[in-house]
Amino acid sequence: MSSGAGRLRVAVLVSGTGSNLQAILDAAPDLCIEVCAVLSNRAECYGLERARRAGVPAVFVDPKAHADRAAYDAALAEGIDAFRPGLVVLAGFMRILSDAFVRHYQGRLINIHPSLLPKYRGLDTHARCLAAGDREHGATVHFVVPELDAGPIVLQARVPVLPDDTPEALAARVLEQEHRIYPAAIGWFAEGRLALQGGLALLDGSPLPAP
Ligand code: GRF
């Protein structure tokens, strides 16, 4: 893994397969970032295994060891901050985060969501898109704000919905795009081109156009 001075330190939070994490790890040498840690709320998730294989510290923060969300989020933040990241990346992290946690990382916390936000916040986005009869679907990278899946949009990718699509087939088509746009957005941040200011996502100082 590449490391060294000048590289943005990125902590990635995962709960599942971690294919987005893998895309970020693979792109890291070209993006001027160093994935400094991967943290998870699930001990057995494959995302943690991917981190270990890449030689990146893999940290399980056990929800059962903490009395409530506030205590868990404080422990999670402590675990993250020990690695001094400049950016925290949610990559399939399946927990609602408290306002205090989100405020702590304001402007340096991003997420990828498998829909063309503001459509289909929350879960089961692919099935909901099919049920609605949409002709296109996609993924969105956004800054995280306390309201779920509602933060300023950074980047979107669109895919067609095909006649015989299943949620699984559609998810796979979307995921392929996620693996492209998430590293791209992280690269912008690492280059100092992307920022959250006054509730707006700015690229090179200008508000990103609404999708
Ligand atoms: C992705 O679909 C992402 O958009 C969503 O959770 C899924 C994570 O997949 N937030 P993976 O663990 O990166 O493969």
Side-chain angles (χ1 to χ4, degrees):
M1 198 192 69
S2 299
S3 64
R7 289 187 172 267
L8 176 75
R9 294 172 66 80
V10 176
V12 184
L13 273 55
V14 297
S15 300
T17 311
S19 69
N20 277 288
L21 164 65
Q22 191 64 57
I24 295 163
L25 287 167
D26 293 346
D30 298 329
L31 291 182
C32 218
I33 67 165
E34 175 190 355
V35 179
C36 60
V38 174
L39 299 97
S40 180
N41 60 327
R42 294 195 185 141
E44 304 301 326
C45 78
Y46 191 59
L48 285 180
E49 179 59 22
R50 289 184 195 269
R52 286 183 211 106
R53 288 182 188 195
V56 172
V59 180
F60 166 53
V61 183
D62 187 354
K64 292 204 186 83
H66 302 280
D68 54 24
R69 185 178 306 283
Y72 182 83
D73 282 7
L76 183 63
E78 196 180 323
I80 293 168
D81 291 346
F83 293 96
R84 297 174 291 104
L87 178 68
V88 178
V89 169
L90 305 178
F93 187 65
M94 300 302 285
R95 276 183 67 96
I96 305 277
L97 293 164
S98 59
D99 289 11
F101 181 96
V102 172
R103 274 198 303 273
H104 180 68
Y105 295 106
Q106 187 85 28
R108 55 190 184 108
L109 179 63
I110 60 173
N111 182 43
I112 191 158
H113 183 75
S115 79
L116 294 172
L117 289 172
K119 276 193 153 184
Y120 311 128
R121 294 176 184 174
L123 298 174
D124 298 325
T125 58
H126 310 299
R128 287 158 67 200
C129 168
L130 289 177
D134 292 358
R135 294 174 65 177
E136 66 172 6
H137 189 38
T140 304
V141 178
H142 64 94
F143 280 106
V144 177
V145 298
E147 193 184 342
L148 186 68
D149 299 330
I153 291 172
V154 173
L155 193 53
Q156 291 189 315
R158 291 164 191 275
V159 302
V161 176
L162 302 180
D164 293 324
D165 259 342
T166 59
E168 293 73 26
L170 189 52
R173 195 173 312 120
V174 170
L175 206 50
E176 210 173 290
Q177 295 305 313
E178 293 184 31
H179 299 162
R180 191 175 61 75
I181 63 172
Y182 217 5
I186 292 166
W188 286 349
F189 193 92
E191 290 166 8
R193 299 180 60 194
L194 177 67
L196 178 68
Q197 250 175 51
L200 294 175
L202 304 183
L203 183 64
D204 299 331
S206 301
L208 282 157

